[in-house]
Amino acid sequence: MRVYVVSEHALEEARKGENGHFSLSGEPKCGECNWEQSRLFVLACSQKEADALYLSGDAGLCGECFAEFLQEENYKISR
């Protein structure tokens, strides 16, 4: 698995669906803390899977929440 940033295409698709992924100002929101963010991160096997997880509402975390998730789940980062 790798870390992916939710693509602009997925963000546009989410905007069309008005599915609660965005704040009143139109910025994407973190799925955990609900804060407006410019980039959201997903742990997935591919960009396509990352975007699908975001669009289904199952992924998309800000940097701080993503780091917290990695720590809580005892992930190890390797190159």
Side-chain angles (χ1 to χ4, degrees):
M1 294 192 127
R2 293 181 62 178
V3 177
Y4 292 90
V5 175
V6 176
S7 72
E8 285 297 320
H9 174 73
L11 294 173
E12 287 302 319
E13 288 299 311
R15 278 188 184 95
K16 290 178 189 174
E18 296 182 24
N19 52 11
H21 288 292
F22 294 89
S23 66
L24 292 175
S25 68
E27 290 296 316
K29 296 187 294 185
C30 173
E32 179 66 24
C33 67
N34 220 30
W35 279 64
E36 291 182 9
Q37 300 295 318
S38 58
R39 297 186 328 168
L40 298 172
F41 300 91
V42 178
L43 189 61
C45 293
S46 68
Q47 183 68 56
K48 185 175 181 178
E49 179 186 20
D51 291 346
L53 287 167
Y54 172 72
L55 289 169
S56 69
D58 294 325
L61 300 176
C62 68
E64 186 169 339
C65 289
F66 191 80
E68 199 171 288
F69 160 76
L70 293 175
Q71 186 271 324
E72 288 174 357
E73 297 297 320
N74 292 317
Y75 276 91
K76 294 181 181 179
I77 298 172
S78 64
R79 191 171 175 151

